[in-house]
Amino acid sequence: MLFLHGHAQNLPVKGHIYDSQTRQPLAGVILFSANNQKLTKSDARGFFEIAAVQPDNKVRAVLAGYKTQSIKINTAENELNVQLEADGLSLNEVRIAGYNNANKTNRETAGAVALLTAKDISRGSGLSLQPALNAIPGVRMDQSTLSEARISIRGNGVRAAYGIRSVKIYVNEIPVTEADGTTRIEALDVNSIGRAEIIKGPASSIYGAGTAGVINFQLQRAPYQEQSLEASGLAGSYGLHRLAATYRSGGDKLNSYVSYGWQEYEGYRAHSNDMRRFLTGNFQLFPSDKRIITLMLNRTTQHSQIPGSLTAAQVAADPLQANATNLDKQAGRYQTWTRIGLGQQYRFNDQFSNSTSVFTYFYDLDHPLPYAYIRNFYQSYGGRTRFTYDPGFSILPSRFTLGAEFNEGLTKGTQYVNNQGKEGTVNANIDYQNRQYSLFYQSETTLAPQTTLTLGLSYNSLRYDVKDYLKQNQSGVKKFNPQATPRIALSHTFSEALSLHASVSSGFSPPSGSEIKNVDGSINPVLQAEKAINYELNAKGNLLQSRLAYDLALFKMDMKGELIAQSVQQGITVYNNAGKTSHNGVELALSYQLLKATDEAEIINLRPFVALTYSDFKFKDYKTLNAQGEVTASYDGNKLTGIAPWVMNAGIDLETRTGIYFYGNYFYSDRLPLNDGNTAYNAVYQVLNAKIGYKKQLGNCLELNVYAGLDNIGNKSYSSIVSLNAVGYGGAQPPYFNPSPKRNGYGGLNLKYLF
C-alpha cells in the first residue's frame, strides 16, 4: 500500500507494499526511480518512505519472485495502494501465507508447500484444475468427465466414493469444505482462481483437522492501476463451448474483480453432458492504512449427467458407452451453489494484528443415482479468526498466532425410489445437523539468525446430529472425541542454495455424515476418525545463479483407522477402520530457467520442469470381519488401494518477447491396485498435452490472446478416475473404469479493453 501525504511533489511518499493475492505485507521490496537509482527498501511491515516524489511521477518496485511493478504516482490522490503479483517463475521466492509465516519465502518455510499461480492454471484449457494439480509431486487429481473430481494428497482422499475427502479446502481463507469434511469444487470457476497454496500432510497448527493437507485458493484480483473489460471465448472437441466476460478495476481505494461464465460440454461418452454457469465477485476495500476489507460472492449452477463406471470388457467393446443402469436411471447431478464471505484484516499496531472472516454457504441438489433419487438442501454458516502478536523480544524473538474456526451445516435430505430418472416412493427423510470447530495455536521462535523453531497445537471437535423422520429409532448423535493435534518444525537456512527443514505433525479426519451409517441405516457407534502422524524432512533451494530451483521432501506417515469402503449390496456401501497403514514416500520438484527474457541477450523465457513422486504405501494391519466378528480376509502387507508407486509430470514453458508462447506437458502414472486384495490393476498410462498461443497488446487500449491446444496427443486409452473395490453383481465383472477422453483439441480467443 503506497500512501501519498500531501499534494506537492516535494513532499515525502510513505506507504506499504502487499502481495496482491494474499494481502501479506512484503519486506525487502526495492524501489527504483525511472533512471534506475535505488530510492529505498520496504521493511518487515512492508513499509517504506521516499524523500520526495520523482519528477516523472514514476517508480519501480522490484522483489525476487514477483513481477516488477511500474507505479504511476498521481499527486492529486491522498492514498495509493500498490500490490505485487507472483511472477510464476521463481516460486521458491514467493512469500507463503499458509502457515502464517513472518514474511518467509517458500524456500524458508518448513513443510511441504506448493504454489500455483494463474499462469500455472492457464497452461491448459482452463476447464479443470487437473493439469495444474498433477504437476505438484504428491498431489493427485483424477477426473474423466467434468461431473466428478477426486483430489488426494499423499494417498489420503483417494478412496472417496464421491467428492473430496480428507483435504481441507479454502477460498480466500473461507472454508469450502463442509462441516462433515466433504468438499466439492465444481462450484469454483477455474478461470477465476488467481493463486493456490497446497500444504501436503497434516497442517494442524493452523487449519485443524485433516490428514491429507490443505488447499487454499485465492480468487483473482485486478492488477494495480488497471481498469479493463475482457471478453473470452473457447471451443473444442465433443461440443465444448465457453463464453465469459470479466471486469477488473485495480483502484486505489477499491480493487474489483467480477466475472460471468457460460460453459457447455456435450461429453466424450454417452450420457456425459455438462453445463455450468459461473458468477464470481471478489472485492478488496482499503478504508485506511490499518484495515483491508474483502468481500467474496460466488454463485454457480451445474447440470451434469453421470455416465458411470464400466467393466474391462465393456471398455474394450465400446469406451464411449454409459453404464446401462446409469443410463436407465438417468443418473446426474443438478445443483446450484451460493457462497458469500466477508473478511477483514486489521493491524492494531506494528506488533498486533487480526484476520477474521465470516461466511454463509448453501445449495440445493437434485441428484438421480442408479440406486436412488436424492433431493437435498444444505445451508451452513461459520467464521474463522486469527490473532498474531510479536512482542519484540530481544532474546529468542518470537511471533505468536492464536485462532479459531467454526462451521455448522444443516442438510435436509429426502431419498426416493428412482423410476427411470423420476422420483418414486419416498424411502428416506433425514436431517443432518453437523457442527465442527477448532482452536489453534502456533509460535515461531528465532533460535539463531537463520534458524526457526515452530510449535503448533490445535484442538478439534465434531458432532453429527441425525434425525430420521421415517425410522425414528435410527435417529441419534455421533460425537467424536475432541482431538489435540500438535506440530513441531525446525528450519535452518544455510544459504540461497540450501534450506533444511524437519517436522513432525499429527492430524485426524472423521468420516463424513454419509459414512457413519450401518447397512440398515443406523449410526455405526464403533466407527472412528482416521488418525495420522507425519515425519518429514525437506530440502529447498536455488542453484546455478538462482536458475535451478529444487524442492525435495522425504516423509513417513503412519495412519491408524484409515477408512475402508466395503460394498455390501448394490447401492449400499459401509465403512470400516483399517488397523494400520503406512505411507512412505519421496517427492521432488525441479525447475530450471534455461533462458530469461529479462537478460539483455535473450528474447525468450525457456523453463523445463519435472515433478516426481515415489509412494510406498501398504496395509500393515487390516482384516475384514463378518457379522459374527470372524476374519474373512487379511490384507496385511498389500499395496494400498488406488496408489500408483511412481508418478511423473514433466513439461516445458516457452515465452517470447514477440508474444508467442508454448506449453508442453507429459504425465506418467504407474499401474495401481484397484482392490484391497491387489488382484486387479489399472494399467500404466501416459498422456502428452500441448498448447500454443500469441499474446500481444494492440495500441494502448486492446490486448489480444489467441491460443490452441491438443490434449492426449498420443490418443491413448486410459481411465484417470477409477472405482476402487467395485463389486460386480449377478456374476458380472467389477465396473472399475471411467474412460478418459482420447485425443481432443480446443481453441480460444481473449480480447481485453483497457480503459
Side-chain angles (χ1 to χ4, degrees):
M1 193 182 297
L2 179 66
F3 297 101
L4 187 65
H5 298 278
H7 306 291
Q9 291 189 354
N10 61 348
L11 292 181
V13 176
K14 300 178 182 179
H16 294 79
I17 301 180
Y18 292 88
D19 183 296
S20 64
Q21 291 296 142
T22 65
R23 307 177 299 282
Q24 277 188 299
L26 295 177
V29 181
I30 301 176
L31 296 176
F32 293 92
S33 65
N35 59 2
N36 287 328
Q37 177 187 359
K38 181 179 176 181
L39 301 174
T40 188
K41 183 168 70 172
S42 62
D43 63 15
R45 298 176 292 118
F47 177 80
F48 69 92
E49 182 174 350
I50 301 175
V53 178
Q54 299 304 296
D56 57 4
N57 290 333
K58 288 184 179 180
V59 295
R60 288 185 301 114
V62 179
L63 179 65
Y66 290 81
K67 296 178 182 178
T68 297
Q69 176 70 60
S70 177
I71 305 166
K72 184 178 180 181
I73 299 174
N74 183 352
T75 56
E77 295 288 345
N78 291 324
E79 294 181 357
L80 300 176
N81 296 290
V82 177
Q83 303 179 61
L84 301 188
E85 297 179 61
D87 65 6
L89 297 176
S90 308
L91 294 182
N92 263 354
E93 301 307 314
V94 177
R95 270 52 171 179
I96 296 296
Y99 278 120
N100 198 34
N101 292 320
N103 232 306
K104 285 187 169 58
T105 65
N106 189 15
R107 174 173 53 84
E108 298 167 327
T109 301
V113 184
L115 285 174
L116 291 178
T117 65
K119 176 184 172 182
D120 297 312
I121 296 169
S122 67
R123 284 196 182 100
S125 64
L127 297 183
S128 170
L129 288 165
Q130 186 178 23
L133 288 176
N134 284 348
I136 300 172
V139 179
R140 182 75 179 259
M141 179 173 177
D142 293 314
Q143 189 171 34
S144 292
T145 67
L146 294 180
S147 61
E148 292 287 342
R150 183 169 62 202
I151 297 176
S152 60
I153 300 178
R154 294 179 172 175
N156 287 300
V158 74
R159 290 172 170 270
Y162 64 90
I164 299 166
R165 296 281 297 117
S166 300
V167 182
K168 293 198 72 174
I169 297 181
Y170 294 78
V171 175
N172 289 5
E173 286 285 324
I174 292 171
V176 175
T177 299
E178 297 174 18
D180 71 346
T182 302
T183 311
R184 302 198 73 96
I185 61 169
E186 290 88 341
L188 293 179
D189 182 5
V190 175
N191 293 269
S192 291
I193 296 173
R195 173 169 162 174
E197 290 186 11
I198 297 93
I199 299 176
K200 294 179 281 186
S204 53
S205 59
I206 291 293
Y207 293 103
T211 54
V214 175
I215 302 178
N216 193 353
F217 293 108
Q218 293 285 341
L219 296 178
Q220 284 197 36
R221 291 181 170 84
Y224 176 61
Q225 292 185 337
E226 176 183 303
Q227 186 177 14
S228 64
L229 183 63
E230 182 176 12
S232 60
L234 171 72
S237 303
Y238 312 121
L240 172 63
H241 303 281
R242 177 184 168 92
L243 294 172
T246 304
Y247 172 76
R248 299 177 178 91
S249 178
D252 298 315
K253 289 291 188 179
L254 177 65
N255 188 296
S256 303
Y257 174 92
V258 181
S259 178
Y260 177 78
W262 170 88
Q263 176 181 306
E264 287 197 358
Y265 179 57
E266 292 179 6
Y268 165 67
R269 295 172 59 190
H271 196 69
S272 62
N273 180 275
D274 186 273
M275 182 278 290
R276 307 287 171 92
R277 302 287 186 269
F278 300 103
L279 176 61
T280 304
N282 192 25
F283 305 93
Q284 191 174 25
L285 179 67
F286 304 90
S288 73
D289 64 333
K290 292 187 174 184
R291 177 182 283 116
I292 301 175
I293 296 174
T294 59
L295 173 65
M296 178 189 76
L297 304 171
N298 172 224
R299 184 169 174 84
T300 301
T301 298
Q302 173 194 6
H303 290 173
S304 297
Q305 296 174 330
I306 302 175
S309 302
L310 302 176
T311 67
Q314 289 171 331
V315 172
D318 180 13
L320 303 184
Q321 66 178 304
N323 179 290
T325 304
N326 281 52
L327 193 59
D328 177 65
K329 301 295 186 180
Q330 293 295 294
R333 189 175 189 91
Y334 307 95
Q335 189 164 1
T336 298
W337 289 270
T338 302
R339 292 191 178 104
I340 302 172
L342 181 64
Q344 174 183 261
Q345 287 179 305
Y346 190 81
R347 181 171 55 86
F348 297 93
N349 51 48
D350 292 344
Q351 296 174 297
F352 189 42
S353 63
N354 173 258
S355 176
T356 296
S357 60
V358 293
F359 68 91
T360 183
Y361 165 36
F362 48 93
Y363 64 72
D364 56 85
L365 172 65
D366 185 7
H367 199 14
L369 289 167
Y371 61 89
Y373 196 116
I374 296 174
R375 286 191 180 274
N376 282 356
F377 176 78
Y378 176 84
Q379 64 181 48
S380 71
Y381 64 92
R384 177 178 171 84
T385 188
R386 184 178 70 234
F387 291 91
T388 303
Y389 179 59
D390 184 349
F393 294 150
S394 57
I395 300 176
L396 297 178
S398 298
R399 186 169 181 263
F400 300 94
T401 300
L402 186 65
E405 182 180 309
F406 174 78
N407 192 350
E408 178 159 344
L410 170 65
T411 302
K412 301 183 76 66
T414 307
Q415 181 173 299
Y416 306 84
V417 173
N418 187 340
N419 293 330
Q420 296 181 308
K422 304 293 183 182
E423 299 100 321
T425 306
V426 175
N427 56 25
N429 187 2
I430 305 174
D431 288 354
Y432 293 91
Q433 185 85 28
N434 305 326
R435 184 180 299 114
Q436 173 266 330
Y437 73 83
S438 61
L439 307 174
F440 53 87
Y441 160 85
Q442 179 177 281
S443 65
E444 288 180 288
T445 301
T446 302
L447 303 180
Q450 300 298 323
T451 306
T452 303
L453 174 67
T454 302
L455 300 174
L457 179 69
S458 69
Y459 181 83
N460 309 276
S461 178
L462 178 65
R463 170 192 172 104
Y464 298 146
D465 192 340
V466 181
K467 188 172 184 179
D468 193 322
Y469 293 97
L470 299 184
K471 301 175 182 178
Q472 295 289 338
N473 62 327
Q474 293 186 1
S475 298
V477 174
K478 176 74 172 178
K479 186 174 182 180
F480 295 91
N481 295 329
Q483 300 287 325
T485 54
R487 178 178 184 263
I488 180 172
L490 186 65
S491 175
H492 182 77
T493 300
F494 293 91
S495 65
E496 183 189 4
L498 177 63
S499 293
L500 288 180
H501 315 275
S503 61
V504 180
S505 58
S506 63
F508 85 111
S509 290
S512 68
S514 63
E515 294 170 342
I516 62 173
K517 294 299 191 72
N518 289 314
V519 176
D520 62 359
S522 61
I523 297 174
N524 185 342
V526 300
L527 196 65
Q528 296 299 316
E530 300 175 334
K531 297 179 182 179
I533 183 167
N534 183 66
Y535 307 89
E536 185 156 349
L537 292 173
N538 305 93
K540 308 176 188 180
N542 302 317
L543 303 171
L544 304 178
Q545 297 179 332
S546 299
R547 292 187 178 231
L548 176 63
Y550 69 91
D551 190 335
L552 174 66
L554 292 82
F555 67 91
K556 174 181 173 59
M557 182 184 293
D558 294 327
M559 294 198 64
K560 184 178 180 181
E562 188 159 354
L563 290 171
I564 308 297
Q566 183 179 356
S567 182
V568 293
Q569 65 186 64
Q570 193 165 13
I572 297 181
T573 300
V574 297
Y575 291 81
N576 297 304
N577 293 112
K580 296 178 182 178
T581 55
S582 64
H583 297 220
N584 304 324
V586 181
E587 300 160 354
L588 175 64
L590 294 172
S591 172
Y592 183 59
Q593 194 67 35
L594 186 62
L595 298 173
K596 291 184 178 181
T598 52
D599 294 347
E600 212 169 290
E602 307 294 352
I603 62 170
I604 64 173
N605 284 321
L606 184 61
R607 186 180 75 100
F609 61 89
V610 64
L612 186 65
T613 305
Y614 172 68
S615 303
D616 180 20
F617 297 176
K618 293 181 179 179
F619 292 112
K620 293 177 65 177
D621 176 18
Y622 175 41
K623 299 174 177 61
T624 58
L625 308 176
N626 60 19
Q628 289 73 41
E630 300 167 335
V631 176
T632 57
S634 175
Y635 301 117
D636 297 356
N638 284 11
K639 296 179 180 178
L640 205 60
T641 316
I643 305 300
W646 289 96
V647 175
M648 184 178 73
N649 191 298
I652 187 167
D653 292 349
L654 184 151
E655 298 170 337
T656 71
R657 289 182 180 175
T658 61
I660 297 173
Y661 60 88
F662 172 82
Y663 304 136
N665 178 257
Y666 168 78
F667 181 76
Y668 169 87
S669 178
D670 205 353
R671 75 168 194 158
L672 56 86
L674 293 168
N675 56 26
D676 296 340
N678 293 179
T679 59
Y681 283 81
N682 192 31
V684 170
Y685 69 87
Q686 44 197 334
V687 181
L688 186 64
N689 303 326
K691 178 180 179 180
I692 189 169
Y694 177 72
K695 188 174 183 178
K696 191 71 172 179
Q697 184 151 336
L698 308 174
N700 296 323
C701 297
L702 287 179
E703 187 177 286
L704 172 73
N705 182 14
V706 58
Y707 58 88
L710 197 61
D711 290 340
N712 194 3
I713 295 173
N715 205 33
K716 301 294 185 180
S717 298
Y718 70 100
S719 289
S720 168
I721 194 168
V722 290
S723 299
L724 303 178
N725 287 320
V727 176
Y729 295 96
Q733 295 180 359
Y736 291 120
F737 306 100
N738 291 270
S740 296
K742 288 195 172 183
R743 185 187 298 118
N744 63 98
Y746 59 89
L749 172 68
N750 297 1
L751 192 62
K752 181 190 290 187
Y753 178 78
L754 301 167
F755 294 96

